[in-house]
Every structure is written in structure tokens, then in C-alpha cells.
Amino acid sequence: MINDEICELREKLNKSIENGDDYSVIYNLSVQLDELIAKFYNEKLKK
């Protein structure tokens, strides 16, 4: 489900930040997470 994808991507983002990865990697993960969260809320609003 989308909740699982959000949790998984959030973990990746947090690890990336902790590891001090390149800004572009962190930014890309953050954008992907934002898109998933928006998708989640759009689906909730349709119900």
C-alpha cells in the first residue's frame, strides 16, 4: 500500500540525511516523498 511506500521512502530519506549524502540525493528523495504523500491525500479525498 501507499502507506508502506511512504514509510519506506521516509526511512531512506532519514538515512540519507544521517549519512550526509549529496544534496541532490536528499532533494530527490524528498520530492519523491512529497509526491507520495500528495497522492495519498488525493486518494483519501476521493473516498
Side-chain angles (χ1 to χ4, degrees), residues 20-32:
D21 290 346
D22 188 65
Y23 176 76
S24 62
V25 173
I26 294 170
Y27 178 78
N28 186 41
L29 289 170
S30 180
V31 168
Q32 289 177 32

Side-chain angles (χ1 to χ4, degrees), residues 1-14 28-41 43:
M1 292 201 53
I2 198 163
N3 286 338
D4 296 333
E5 292 178 58
I6 290 172
C7 290
E8 194 174 302
L9 196 50
R10 186 179 293 140
E11 286 180 33
K12 283 183 184 181
L13 176 60
N14 288 338
N28 186 41
L29 289 170
S30 180
V31 168
Q32 289 177 32
L33 182 58
D34 288 347
E35 289 173 354
L36 274 178
I37 292 170
K39 182 179 177 182
F40 172 80
Y41 281 110
E43 288 179 5

